[in-house]
Amino acid sequence: MALRPRRLKWRFAWAITAAVEASISGFLELLPEQELVQQHLIAAVRRQFELYGFAPLQTRSVERVEDLLNQGDTDKEIYGLHRLAEPEAQGATKLALHYDLTVPFARYVREHQHQLVFPFRRYQVQPAWRGERPQLGRYREFIQADADVIGRDELPVEHDAEMVSMLGQTLAGLPVPPVRLMINNRKLLEGFYLGLGITKVTETLRIVDKLPKLGEGGVHEALSKTGLSASQVERCLAVSQLESHESGHLREQIQSLGVQHELLTQGLDEVCIVLDRSAADLPGQVVAALHIARGFDYYTGTVVEGVLRDHPNLGSICSGGRYDNLASTKRALPGMGVSIGITRLMSFLLHLNLLLPRRKTPAQVFVILHSEEQRGLSIDVARSLRQRGIGCLLSSAARAYGKQIQQAERLGIDYVWFPAQGDKPHTVKDLATGEQSEAALQSWQPDAERLDLGRAVHRSTT
Amino acid sequence: MALRPRRLKWRFAWAITAAVEASISGFLELLPEQELVQQHLIAAVRRQFELYGFAPLQTRSVERVEDLLNQGDTDKEIYGLHRLAEPEAQGATKLALHYDLTVPFARYVREHQHQLVFPFRRYQVQPAWRGERPQLGRYREFIQADADVIGRDELPVEHDAEMVSMLGQTLAGLPVPPVRLMINNRKLLEGFYLGLGITKVTETLRIVDKLPKLGEGGVHEALSKTGLSASQVERCLAVSQLESHESGHLREQIQSLGVQHELLTQGLDEVCIVLDRSAADLPGQVVAALHIARGFDYYTGTVVEGVLRDHPNLGSICSGGRYDNLASTKRALPGMGVSIGITRLMSFLLHLNLLLPRRKTPAQVFVILHSEEQRGLSIDVARSLRQRGIGCLLSSAARAYGKQIQQAERLGIDYVWFPAQGDKPHTVKDLATGEQSEAALQSWQPDAERLDLGRAVHRSTT
C-alpha cells in the first residue's frame, strides 16, 4: 500500500525538526520518538545476548573509590559522591560513580563467586559516567551494553571466538549501517616487541594503538622518542599495518617480518582461531587489524574494536577483550568481554541523519471520543484492544473529529478507531491511505510491518 | 508432566541458598537468577504502560542542585557530585543525582515543551538515589517505574482515573501477592480542613498521612500540638478513618460529618470519578482511604498509594498523584503520575521468601560437546537453534557427559542437546523427566510453560 506523497513529505519534515538539546553540557537526552528507537536497539541487543545464554545483571552505580582507582585508570575523570546534608564529609570521598561496566562486574564476580556457576555469562545494560570534555559520541553519561564470560581457573580461547561472533551477529541484526570488526591479540604484539628486543612493551602498545589518530608519521615520531632504534620502529609500524581476513594469509605476513617469540606464536594462534570461527558466522565482517591494542591495561589477549565501516573516523562503537587477571583473586578468574556503546551509536545515527523516527508513542490505535457522555464506549474499545495486546490511546477530549484526528497524526499513529454507537458499527480510519472501513473489535489487527521501529533507522545500502 | 519429587526438593534447596549480600550498605545487588525475575517484572510493567500509549523515556541521572532543592525536599538526602580530578571544586557542588523520577521529568517537559505533543504520556524505568538510612525496602539506590501524563493548559480528571486503572491493571498482571490500592484527594482533605476553620493545612496533611505509622493516639497528640481544638482534631481523625469501595457510600459518610467547603465538594467529586472508573476495571481492588495524603508538597488533587494487601505493614510498593504546578511555566502544565517501586517490590518478595527462582540463565538448551575435534557440530546446532529464537549455551569443555549434564543442572536448564554424529541422530534429554529422545534440529521446540519466569515468583492464594 503506497503512502500518499504529500503525507510522506510532511512526515519527513516533522522528523527533522525533532532535534536534541542538552541543558547540561555532556548529558544527552532524547525525545520520545528517538527513545523509542533506542529502546528498540537495546531490546534487540538483549535478545541476541540472551540467545547466547547470557543472564541479565545490574550492578550498583556506585563503587568504592579505591576499587575504581585500583585499575590505574586515574585519567577516567571519575565522579565522586557526597551527601549534600553532610558537606563536611566531602574531603573524604569514599564512593564514586562507575566509569565502565567491566570493573564493577569483576568486583561483583569476586564478591559472589561462591554463588555463581562458572563459566559465568552475564550481560548488563546500564549507564556509566565520566567527567570528560564532551564531544561527538562522547558524553558524560552514556549507556553501555556489555556482555562478559568469566571462567574459574581457565577460559579456553574458544570463548573469545564465541564472544566476537556474538558481537558481530548482534550488530549485524541492528538497523544500523554496516560495522567492521577489527581483532588483534595483545600477546601477538607483546611477543613481537619482545622478539625485537623492545622492553617498554606497554608504552609501545599505547602509542601503536593511536595509529588511526596520529598517522604513520606521528607514531614513528612517538616511538622513536621512547628510544627505539630505526629498525625497531620500522618493524613495529610494519606489523601494525598488517590486515587480513584470512588466517593462512595472516600467518604468511607475520612470518615475512622475520621476528620470533613464543608469545608471538601463541598470540598468532589465538587470533587465527578467533578469525576462522567468526568468519564462518560473519563472512567479510571481521578482519585481523594488528594496530588495534585498546587503551586499557587489563587486557591480556584478544582485543576487538568495531567502527561503522563507511564512517571509521567517527570512532569505535563497540570494543572488548580478554582479561586474565581483572577479576582474579587467589583463584584465577579469567574473562572475556565485549561492549556496545548504545549512547554513542545513537549519537552517530543522529549525527549522520540516519534516524528518521515518526512515531512518538508505542500506541498503535487512537480511539475517538464521540462525546463526553459516551466516554464509556471509548473506554470499552480501549480495554478490548489492550486485552488483545494492541496498544491504544484514548482521545483526551471530545472535540471535533478533525481535531482529534490531527492529534493522532501529530503522534504518528496510523489507525483511528470510531467506536460503535447506536446502529453504527465500529470503523477504523487508516491515516496512511485515508480509507475508513468497518472493523470487528474482537479480531481487527494493525499492519505489523508499520509497527517495526527498526524502520525508523535508515539502513544504508551495504 | 510431573517433576520427580527428588529433583524438586533439590531445586528448592538450591533456590534458598541464593541469598543477597550487599557489600556497600544500602545498595542492593541481585544474583542472576533473581535479576531474571526482576527483568521479567520490569518487562511486564513496560508492556502494560505501552499498551496505554506511554512512550519510553530516560532523563539524565544528574540534575542541577538548585532544580532538586527547589522542590523543598531538602530532607531527601541528595547525593552531590564532584570530579575526583578537581577536588578544589567540591565546595561549589552544582550537580547531583536525582532522588525521584518526577522532578527530572517535570524539568524535561519544561525544557522540551515545544517538541512534545500534549497530553504527553511517558514512562521511565530508572534508578534514583537517596542517602537515607537503609532499612527493609529502603535502599540508597532503587529502581522506579514511573508513568506520567502532562497536559497543556488543562488535564481533565478522567486522566487521573485512567492512571489509577492502569496502575491497578499493571500490578494485577504481575506475579506478586494481591495489591490494595488506596486513593484520596488533596482537595477533599484541604477543603475539609478549611471548612473546619483549620489554617495549617499542609502541616495537618503531613501528620494525618502518618496515621498507619503513628496510630490514632499518635496523630491525636501531634494534631493537638499544632493548636487544633479537640473538636477539630476529632473530625480530622474521623474523616481520615473513612474508607469506601463505593462512591455513593463515600458521599454519605462525608455528609454525615457535617463539614462544607467548595474545595471539599470538588475533591469528593474527583475521588468518586476515579473510584467509579477504576472499580469497573479492578473490582474490589481500589478503595477510597481518606488518610492517604502522600508526603510530597507538589500534589494538588488525586493521590494514590498501594500496599501488598496481606502485608500492609511493609509499606507502600507504589504511589502517585496529581500535580498541577510542578511542571508549569508561564503556561499551566498539569500532570498526573504513578510510580512502582521495583527494587522495593523485589526486596519484599525476597523478604517474604516468595522468590523461588531456578533458572540462572535465559538459555533454554544446553548443547553437549562430544569432543574438542567435534566442536563444529555443536556450534552448528547452537547456530540453528538461535536462528529459530531458542536460546542455548555451548558446553564449555568436552568432559564426560555426566559432568556436562551436571553443568546444565546447576544452571537450571532442562534440555540437554546431543548433536548428531555419524549415523546417530540428534537427541534431547529432558532433565525434568529423565527422558531422552530423538529431535529434529529444524522443528524441535521447548515446553513454553517451563520458560515462564513469572512462575519463579510464588503467588499467594488470593
PDB file of all heavy atoms in Angstrom, chain A residues 23 30 39 60-61 64 80 82-83 90 108 131 141 281 383, chain B residues 23 30 39 46 60-61 80 82-83 90 108 111 131 141 281 383:
ATOM      1  N   SER A  23      20.573  20.388  28.158  1.00  0.00           N
ATOM      2  CA  SER A  23      20.568  21.571  29.007  1.00  0.00           C
ATOM      3  C   SER A  23      21.727  21.561  29.997  1.00  0.00           C
ATOM      4  O   SER A  23      22.035  22.560  30.593  1.00  0.00           O
ATOM      5  CB  SER A  23      19.231  21.700  29.727  1.00  0.00           C
ATOM      6  OG  SER A  23      19.050  20.600  30.592  1.00  0.00           O
ATOM      7  N   LEU A  30      17.137  12.256  24.949  1.00  0.00           N
ATOM      8  CA  LEU A  30      16.445  12.019  23.686  1.00  0.00           C
ATOM      9  C   LEU A  30      14.989  12.462  23.775  1.00  0.00           C
ATOM     10  O   LEU A  30      14.415  12.534  24.858  1.00  0.00           O
ATOM     11  CB  LEU A  30      16.507  10.538  23.332  1.00  0.00           C
ATOM     12  CG  LEU A  30      17.900   9.929  23.187  1.00  0.00           C
ATOM     13  CD1 LEU A  30      17.799   8.430  22.923  1.00  0.00           C
ATOM     14  CD2 LEU A  30      18.684  10.608  22.068  1.00  0.00           C
ATOM     15  N   GLN A  39      15.239   2.223  22.516  1.00  0.00           N
ATOM     16  CA  GLN A  39      14.723   1.044  23.216  1.00  0.00           C
ATOM     17  C   GLN A  39      14.647  -0.157  22.278  1.00  0.00           C
ATOM     18  O   GLN A  39      14.842  -1.297  22.688  1.00  0.00           O
ATOM     19  CB  GLN A  39      13.339   1.328  23.817  1.00  0.00           C
ATOM     20  CG  GLN A  39      13.369   2.281  25.004  1.00  0.00           C
ATOM     21  CD  GLN A  39      14.164   1.736  26.176  1.00  0.00           C
ATOM     22  OE1 GLN A  39      14.177   0.535  26.431  1.00  0.00           O
ATOM     23  NE2 GLN A  39      14.857   2.602  26.895  1.00  0.00           N
ATOM     24  N   ARG A  60      25.374  -2.139  41.173  1.00  0.00           N
ATOM     25  CA  ARG A  60      25.099  -0.784  41.650  1.00  0.00           C
ATOM     26  C   ARG A  60      25.906   0.232  40.858  1.00  0.00           C
ATOM     27  O   ARG A  60      26.977  -0.086  40.350  1.00  0.00           O
ATOM     28  CB  ARG A  60      25.407  -0.688  43.135  1.00  0.00           C
ATOM     29  CG  ARG A  60      26.746  -1.257  43.558  1.00  0.00           C
ATOM     30  CD  ARG A  60      26.931  -1.079  45.068  1.00  0.00           C
ATOM     31  NE  ARG A  60      27.804  -2.066  45.673  1.00  0.00           N
ATOM     32  CZ  ARG A  60      29.138  -2.094  45.607  1.00  0.00           C
ATOM     33  NH1 ARG A  60      29.791  -1.177  44.913  1.00  0.00           N
ATOM     34  NH2 ARG A  60      29.824  -3.034  46.217  1.00  0.00           N
ATOM     35  N   SER A  61      25.391   1.453  40.771  1.00  0.00           N
ATOM     36  CA  SER A  61      26.078   2.511  40.014  1.00  0.00           C
ATOM     37  C   SER A  61      27.305   3.004  40.757  1.00  0.00           C
ATOM     38  O   SER A  61      28.150   3.689  40.179  1.00  0.00           O
ATOM     39  CB  SER A  61      25.135   3.696  39.804  1.00  0.00           C
ATOM     40  OG  SER A  61      23.945   3.274  39.199  1.00  0.00           O
ATOM     41  N   ARG A  64      33.343   1.730  45.544  1.00  0.00           N
ATOM     42  CA  ARG A  64      34.315   2.368  46.425  1.00  0.00           C
ATOM     43  C   ARG A  64      35.386   3.027  45.557  1.00  0.00           C
ATOM     44  O   ARG A  64      35.846   2.418  44.582  1.00  0.00           O
ATOM     45  CB  ARG A  64      34.974   1.339  47.340  1.00  0.00           C
ATOM     46  CG  ARG A  64      34.068   0.845  48.434  1.00  0.00           C
ATOM     47  CD  ARG A  64      34.867   0.174  49.544  1.00  0.00           C
ATOM     48  NE  ARG A  64      33.930  -0.463  50.453  1.00  0.00           N
ATOM     49  CZ  ARG A  64      33.365  -1.649  50.232  1.00  0.00           C
ATOM     50  NH1 ARG A  64      33.684  -2.347  49.153  1.00  0.00           N
ATOM     51  NH2 ARG A  64      32.495  -2.145  51.087  1.00  0.00           N
ATOM     52  N   GLY A  80      33.031  11.621  42.054  1.00  0.00           N
ATOM     53  CA  GLY A  80      32.839  11.221  43.444  1.00  0.00           C
ATOM     54  C   GLY A  80      31.483  11.680  43.953  1.00  0.00           C
ATOM     55  O   GLY A  80      30.883  12.609  43.405  1.00  0.00           O
ATOM     56  N   HIS A  82      29.053  12.861  47.363  1.00  0.00           N
ATOM     57  CA  HIS A  82      28.975  13.259  48.774  1.00  0.00           C
ATOM     58  C   HIS A  82      27.539  13.661  49.056  1.00  0.00           C
ATOM     59  O   HIS A  82      26.826  14.135  48.179  1.00  0.00           O
ATOM     60  CB  HIS A  82      29.921  14.429  49.059  1.00  0.00           C
ATOM     61  CG  HIS A  82      29.625  15.640  48.222  1.00  0.00           C
ATOM     62  ND1 HIS A  82      30.173  15.841  46.978  1.00  0.00           N
ATOM     63  CD2 HIS A  82      28.810  16.698  48.438  1.00  0.00           C
ATOM     64  CE1 HIS A  82      29.732  16.980  46.467  1.00  0.00           C
ATOM     65  NE2 HIS A  82      28.894  17.515  47.323  1.00  0.00           N
ATOM     66  N   ARG A  83      27.095  13.440  50.290  1.00  0.00           N
ATOM     67  CA  ARG A  83      25.724  13.813  50.614  1.00  0.00           C
ATOM     68  C   ARG A  83      25.663  15.307  50.885  1.00  0.00           C
ATOM     69  O   ARG A  83      26.469  15.844  51.646  1.00  0.00           O
ATOM     70  CB  ARG A  83      25.245  13.019  51.824  1.00  0.00           C
ATOM     71  CG  ARG A  83      25.116  11.530  51.479  1.00  0.00           C
ATOM     72  CD  ARG A  83      24.298  10.799  52.497  1.00  0.00           C
ATOM     73  NE  ARG A  83      24.968  10.782  53.792  1.00  0.00           N
ATOM     74  CZ  ARG A  83      24.341  10.490  54.924  1.00  0.00           C
ATOM     75  NH1 ARG A  83      23.060  10.222  54.921  1.00  0.00           N
ATOM     76  NH2 ARG A  83      25.003  10.478  56.055  1.00  0.00           N
ATOM     77  N   GLN A  90      32.876  15.925  52.542  1.00  0.00           N
ATOM     78  CA  GLN A  90      33.313  15.927  51.149  1.00  0.00           C
ATOM     79  C   GLN A  90      34.784  15.597  50.986  1.00  0.00           C
ATOM     80  O   GLN A  90      35.190  15.037  49.981  1.00  0.00           O
ATOM     81  CB  GLN A  90      33.058  17.299  50.518  1.00  0.00           C
ATOM     82  CG  GLN A  90      31.599  17.524  50.200  1.00  0.00           C
ATOM     83  CD  GLN A  90      31.407  18.851  49.510  1.00  0.00           C
ATOM     84  OE1 GLN A  90      32.241  19.254  48.717  1.00  0.00           O
ATOM     85  NE2 GLN A  90      30.321  19.514  49.795  1.00  0.00           N
ATOM     86  N   TYR A 108      31.970  -7.640  41.265  1.00  0.00           N
ATOM     87  CA  TYR A 108      30.782  -8.455  41.573  1.00  0.00           C
ATOM     88  C   TYR A 108      31.135  -9.943  41.577  1.00  0.00           C
ATOM     89  O   TYR A 108      30.732 -10.692  42.475  1.00  0.00           O
ATOM     90  CB  TYR A 108      29.691  -8.156  40.543  1.00  0.00           C
ATOM     91  CG  TYR A 108      28.424  -8.976  40.684  1.00  0.00           C
ATOM     92  CD1 TYR A 108      27.341  -8.491  41.420  1.00  0.00           C
ATOM     93  CD2 TYR A 108      28.306 -10.224  40.078  1.00  0.00           C
ATOM     94  CE1 TYR A 108      26.177  -9.238  41.540  1.00  0.00           C
ATOM     95  CE2 TYR A 108      27.141 -10.973  40.200  1.00  0.00           C
ATOM     96  CZ  TYR A 108      26.089 -10.474  40.935  1.00  0.00           C
ATOM     97  OH  TYR A 108      24.940 -11.214  41.062  1.00  0.00           O
ATOM     98  N   GLY A 131      33.657  12.300  33.657  1.00  0.00           N
ATOM     99  CA  GLY A 131      33.614  13.765  33.593  1.00  0.00           C
ATOM    100  C   GLY A 131      34.518  14.346  32.524  1.00  0.00           C
ATOM    101  O   GLY A 131      35.191  15.347  32.746  1.00  0.00           O
ATOM    102  N   GLU A 141      27.450  11.040  30.573  1.00  0.00           N
ATOM    103  CA  GLU A 141      26.634   9.890  30.986  1.00  0.00           C
ATOM    104  C   GLU A 141      26.322   9.128  29.713  1.00  0.00           C
ATOM    105  O   GLU A 141      25.875   9.731  28.736  1.00  0.00           O
ATOM    106  CB  GLU A 141      25.346  10.360  31.659  1.00  0.00           C
ATOM    107  CG  GLU A 141      24.407   9.226  32.036  1.00  0.00           C
ATOM    108  CD  GLU A 141      23.206   9.692  32.854  1.00  0.00           C
ATOM    109  OE1 GLU A 141      22.550  10.669  32.450  1.00  0.00           O
ATOM    110  OE2 GLU A 141      22.933   9.102  33.900  1.00  0.00           O
ATOM    111  N   ASP A 281      30.606 -17.320  10.716  1.00  0.00           N
ATOM    112  CA  ASP A 281      29.317 -16.689  11.006  1.00  0.00           C
ATOM    113  C   ASP A 281      29.151 -15.348  10.310  1.00  0.00           C
ATOM    114  O   ASP A 281      28.037 -14.933  10.013  1.00  0.00           O
ATOM    115  CB  ASP A 281      29.181 -16.456  12.525  1.00  0.00           C
ATOM    116  CG  ASP A 281      28.722 -17.706  13.262  1.00  0.00           C
ATOM    117  OD1 ASP A 281      27.951 -18.473  12.667  1.00  0.00           O
ATOM    118  OD2 ASP A 281      29.138 -17.905  14.414  1.00  0.00           O
ATOM    119  N   ARG A 383     -10.175  -0.981  26.250  1.00  0.00           N
ATOM    120  CA  ARG A 383      -9.957  -2.147  27.103  1.00  0.00           C
ATOM    121  C   ARG A 383      -9.859  -3.426  26.262  1.00  0.00           C
ATOM    122  O   ARG A 383      -8.955  -4.243  26.440  1.00  0.00           O
ATOM    123  CB  ARG A 383     -11.074  -2.268  28.134  1.00  0.00           C
ATOM    124  CG  ARG A 383     -10.817  -3.360  29.175  1.00  0.00           C
ATOM    125  CD  ARG A 383     -12.004  -3.583  30.093  1.00  0.00           C
ATOM    126  NE  ARG A 383     -12.292  -2.430  30.907  1.00  0.00           N
ATOM    127  CZ  ARG A 383     -13.442  -1.748  30.892  1.00  0.00           C
ATOM    128  NH1 ARG A 383     -14.410  -2.122  30.069  1.00  0.00           N
ATOM    129  NH2 ARG A 383     -13.628  -0.707  31.667  1.00  0.00           N
TER     130      ARG A 383
ATOM    131  N   SER B  23      27.608  -5.391  49.580  1.00  0.00           N
ATOM    132  CA  SER B  23      28.950  -5.100  50.064  1.00  0.00           C
ATOM    133  C   SER B  23      29.118  -3.621  50.406  1.00  0.00           C
ATOM    134  O   SER B  23      30.058  -3.247  51.062  1.00  0.00           O
ATOM    135  CB  SER B  23      29.992  -5.545  49.047  1.00  0.00           C
ATOM    136  OG  SER B  23      29.861  -4.792  47.870  1.00  0.00           O
ATOM    137  N   LEU B  30      21.471  -8.027  43.000  1.00  0.00           N
ATOM    138  CA  LEU B  30      20.801  -9.309  42.874  1.00  0.00           C
ATOM    139  C   LEU B  30      21.719 -10.350  42.247  1.00  0.00           C
ATOM    140  O   LEU B  30      22.674 -10.012  41.545  1.00  0.00           O
ATOM    141  CB  LEU B  30      19.550  -9.159  42.009  1.00  0.00           C
ATOM    142  CG  LEU B  30      18.491  -8.173  42.520  1.00  0.00           C
ATOM    143  CD1 LEU B  30      17.347  -8.081  41.520  1.00  0.00           C
ATOM    144  CD2 LEU B  30      17.966  -8.583  43.886  1.00  0.00           C
ATOM    145  N   GLN B  39      13.874  -8.614  35.790  1.00  0.00           N
ATOM    146  CA  GLN B  39      13.694  -8.202  34.393  1.00  0.00           C
ATOM    147  C   GLN B  39      12.326  -8.622  33.876  1.00  0.00           C
ATOM    148  O   GLN B  39      11.723  -7.928  33.057  1.00  0.00           O
ATOM    149  CB  GLN B  39      14.802  -8.791  33.509  1.00  0.00           C
ATOM    150  CG  GLN B  39      16.178  -8.176  33.745  1.00  0.00           C
ATOM    151  CD  GLN B  39      16.222  -6.683  33.433  1.00  0.00           C
ATOM    152  OE1 GLN B  39      15.539  -6.210  32.546  1.00  0.00           O
ATOM    153  NE2 GLN B  39      17.016  -5.935  34.187  1.00  0.00           N
ATOM    154  N   ARG B  46       6.553  -2.484  31.625  1.00  0.00           N
ATOM    155  CA  ARG B  46       6.742  -1.717  30.387  1.00  0.00           C
ATOM    156  C   ARG B  46       5.648  -2.062  29.374  1.00  0.00           C
ATOM    157  O   ARG B  46       5.105  -1.180  28.714  1.00  0.00           O
ATOM    158  CB  ARG B  46       8.095  -2.040  29.748  1.00  0.00           C
ATOM    159  CG  ARG B  46       9.295  -1.651  30.589  1.00  0.00           C
ATOM    160  CD  ARG B  46      10.589  -2.054  29.870  1.00  0.00           C
ATOM    161  NE  ARG B  46      10.946  -1.042  28.906  1.00  0.00           N
ATOM    162  CZ  ARG B  46      11.923  -0.157  29.064  1.00  0.00           C
ATOM    163  NH1 ARG B  46      12.662  -0.193  30.133  1.00  0.00           N
ATOM    164  NH2 ARG B  46      12.163   0.743  28.160  1.00  0.00           N
ATOM    165  N   ARG B  60      18.492  12.244  32.133  1.00  0.00           N
ATOM    166  CA  ARG B  60      19.817  12.053  32.710  1.00  0.00           C
ATOM    167  C   ARG B  60      19.695  11.798  34.212  1.00  0.00           C
ATOM    168  O   ARG B  60      18.746  12.242  34.841  1.00  0.00           O
ATOM    169  CB  ARG B  60      20.678  13.268  32.419  1.00  0.00           C
ATOM    170  CG  ARG B  60      20.025  14.618  32.679  1.00  0.00           C
ATOM    171  CD  ARG B  60      21.009  15.748  32.410  1.00  0.00           C
ATOM    172  NE  ARG B  60      20.380  16.991  32.026  1.00  0.00           N
ATOM    173  CZ  ARG B  60      19.789  17.860  32.851  1.00  0.00           C
ATOM    174  NH1 ARG B  60      19.738  17.605  34.139  1.00  0.00           N
ATOM    175  NH2 ARG B  60      19.254  18.977  32.386  1.00  0.00           N
ATOM    176  N   SER B  61      20.677  11.101  34.779  1.00  0.00           N
ATOM    177  CA  SER B  61      20.652  10.798  36.212  1.00  0.00           C
ATOM    178  C   SER B  61      20.960  12.035  37.047  1.00  0.00           C
ATOM    179  O   SER B  61      20.736  12.039  38.250  1.00  0.00           O
ATOM    180  CB  SER B  61      21.695   9.728  36.534  1.00  0.00           C
ATOM    181  OG  SER B  61      21.502   8.601  35.725  1.00  0.00           O
ATOM    182  N   GLY B  80      25.388  14.793  46.074  1.00  0.00           N
ATOM    183  CA  GLY B  80      26.056  15.734  45.167  1.00  0.00           C
ATOM    184  C   GLY B  80      27.212  15.054  44.465  1.00  0.00           C
ATOM    185  O   GLY B  80      27.742  14.049  44.939  1.00  0.00           O
ATOM    186  N   HIS B  82      31.073  15.473  42.481  1.00  0.00           N
ATOM    187  CA  HIS B  82      32.253  16.291  42.195  1.00  0.00           C
ATOM    188  C   HIS B  82      33.265  15.417  41.482  1.00  0.00           C
ATOM    189  O   HIS B  82      33.309  14.211  41.712  1.00  0.00           O
ATOM    190  CB  HIS B  82      32.851  16.858  43.487  1.00  0.00           C
ATOM    191  CG  HIS B  82      33.277  15.793  44.456  1.00  0.00           C
ATOM    192  ND1 HIS B  82      32.420  15.272  45.410  1.00  0.00           N
ATOM    193  CD2 HIS B  82      34.445  15.131  44.615  1.00  0.00           C
ATOM    194  CE1 HIS B  82      33.052  14.343  46.104  1.00  0.00           C
ATOM    195  NE2 HIS B  82      34.284  14.227  45.651  1.00  0.00           N
ATOM    196  N   ARG B  83      34.053  16.031  40.594  1.00  0.00           N
ATOM    197  CA  ARG B  83      35.048  15.229  39.893  1.00  0.00           C
ATOM    198  C   ARG B  83      36.250  15.028  40.797  1.00  0.00           C
ATOM    199  O   ARG B  83      36.777  15.978  41.377  1.00  0.00           O
ATOM    200  CB  ARG B  83      35.446  15.934  38.592  1.00  0.00           C
ATOM    201  CG  ARG B  83      34.262  15.945  37.615  1.00  0.00           C
ATOM    202  CD  ARG B  83      34.710  16.252  36.222  1.00  0.00           C
ATOM    203  NE  ARG B  83      35.223  17.606  36.131  1.00  0.00           N
ATOM    204  CZ  ARG B  83      35.943  18.046  35.119  1.00  0.00           C
ATOM    205  NH1 ARG B  83      36.243  17.233  34.119  1.00  0.00           N
ATOM    206  NH2 ARG B  83      36.361  19.284  35.092  1.00  0.00           N
ATOM    207  N   GLN B  90      34.878  20.976  45.019  1.00  0.00           N
ATOM    208  CA  GLN B  90      33.863  20.293  45.811  1.00  0.00           C
ATOM    209  C   GLN B  90      32.962  21.241  46.575  1.00  0.00           C
ATOM    210  O   GLN B  90      31.806  20.954  46.821  1.00  0.00           O
ATOM    211  CB  GLN B  90      34.526  19.351  46.814  1.00  0.00           C
ATOM    212  CG  GLN B  90      35.065  18.094  46.179  1.00  0.00           C
ATOM    213  CD  GLN B  90      35.641  17.170  47.237  1.00  0.00           C
ATOM    214  OE1 GLN B  90      35.125  17.093  48.332  1.00  0.00           O
ATOM    215  NE2 GLN B  90      36.708  16.485  46.917  1.00  0.00           N
ATOM    216  N   TYR B 108      12.231  18.115  32.363  1.00  0.00           N
ATOM    217  CA  TYR B 108      12.340  17.708  30.950  1.00  0.00           C
ATOM    218  C   TYR B 108      11.182  18.303  30.135  1.00  0.00           C
ATOM    219  O   TYR B 108      11.386  18.829  29.042  1.00  0.00           O
ATOM    220  CB  TYR B 108      12.324  16.179  30.874  1.00  0.00           C
ATOM    221  CG  TYR B 108      12.345  15.605  29.475  1.00  0.00           C
ATOM    222  CD1 TYR B 108      13.552  15.228  28.869  1.00  0.00           C
ATOM    223  CD2 TYR B 108      11.171  15.433  28.748  1.00  0.00           C
ATOM    224  CE1 TYR B 108      13.571  14.698  27.593  1.00  0.00           C
ATOM    225  CE2 TYR B 108      11.185  14.907  27.466  1.00  0.00           C
ATOM    226  CZ  TYR B 108      12.386  14.538  26.890  1.00  0.00           C
ATOM    227  OH  TYR B 108      12.405  14.017  25.615  1.00  0.00           O
ATOM    228  N   GLU B 111      11.607  21.990  29.586  1.00  0.00           N
ATOM    229  CA  GLU B 111      12.665  22.273  28.603  1.00  0.00           C
ATOM    230  C   GLU B 111      12.253  21.940  27.173  1.00  0.00           C
ATOM    231  O   GLU B 111      12.674  22.606  26.236  1.00  0.00           O
ATOM    232  CB  GLU B 111      13.912  21.456  28.942  1.00  0.00           C
ATOM    233  CG  GLU B 111      14.862  22.155  29.887  1.00  0.00           C
ATOM    234  CD  GLU B 111      16.061  21.272  30.207  1.00  0.00           C
ATOM    235  OE1 GLU B 111      16.427  20.392  29.402  1.00  0.00           O
ATOM    236  OE2 GLU B 111      16.615  21.460  31.280  1.00  0.00           O
ATOM    237  N   GLY B 131      20.448   9.242  50.051  1.00  0.00           N
ATOM    238  CA  GLY B 131      21.411   8.820  51.076  1.00  0.00           C
ATOM    239  C   GLY B 131      20.774   8.578  52.422  1.00  0.00           C
ATOM    240  O   GLY B 131      21.330   8.941  53.453  1.00  0.00           O
ATOM    241  N   GLU B 141      20.076   3.184  46.472  1.00  0.00           N
ATOM    242  CA  GLU B 141      19.875   3.177  45.017  1.00  0.00           C
ATOM    243  C   GLU B 141      18.686   2.271  44.774  1.00  0.00           C
ATOM    244  O   GLU B 141      18.667   1.142  45.274  1.00  0.00           O
ATOM    245  CB  GLU B 141      21.108   2.643  44.301  1.00  0.00           C
ATOM    246  CG  GLU B 141      20.932   2.534  42.791  1.00  0.00           C
ATOM    247  CD  GLU B 141      22.237   2.178  42.071  1.00  0.00           C
ATOM    248  OE1 GLU B 141      22.903   1.211  42.473  1.00  0.00           O
ATOM    249  OE2 GLU B 141      22.592   2.867  41.114  1.00  0.00           O
ATOM    250  N   ASP B 281     -12.744  -1.612  36.165  1.00  0.00           N
ATOM    251  CA  ASP B 281     -11.635  -2.442  35.698  1.00  0.00           C
ATOM    252  C   ASP B 281     -11.095  -3.364  36.781  1.00  0.00           C
ATOM    253  O   ASP B 281     -10.545  -4.424  36.493  1.00  0.00           O
ATOM    254  CB  ASP B 281     -10.479  -1.549  35.214  1.00  0.00           C
ATOM    255  CG  ASP B 281     -10.707  -1.057  33.794  1.00  0.00           C
ATOM    256  OD1 ASP B 281     -11.305  -1.821  33.006  1.00  0.00           O
ATOM    257  OD2 ASP B 281     -10.310   0.064  33.477  1.00  0.00           O
ATOM    258  N   ARG B 383      23.859 -22.592  16.430  1.00  0.00           N
ATOM    259  CA  ARG B 383      23.507 -21.570  15.438  1.00  0.00           C
ATOM    260  C   ARG B 383      22.075 -21.789  14.944  1.00  0.00           C
ATOM    261  O   ARG B 383      21.276 -20.851  14.869  1.00  0.00           O
ATOM    262  CB  ARG B 383      24.499 -21.591  14.279  1.00  0.00           C
ATOM    263  CG  ARG B 383      24.303 -20.444  13.297  1.00  0.00           C
ATOM    264  CD  ARG B 383      25.177 -20.583  12.062  1.00  0.00           C
ATOM    265  NE  ARG B 383      26.588 -20.472  12.364  1.00  0.00           N
ATOM    266  CZ  ARG B 383      27.497 -21.437  12.163  1.00  0.00           C
ATOM    267  NH1 ARG B 383      27.132 -22.606  11.644  1.00  0.00           N
ATOM    268  NH2 ARG B 383      28.761 -21.244  12.467  1.00  0.00           N
TER     269      ARG B 383
END
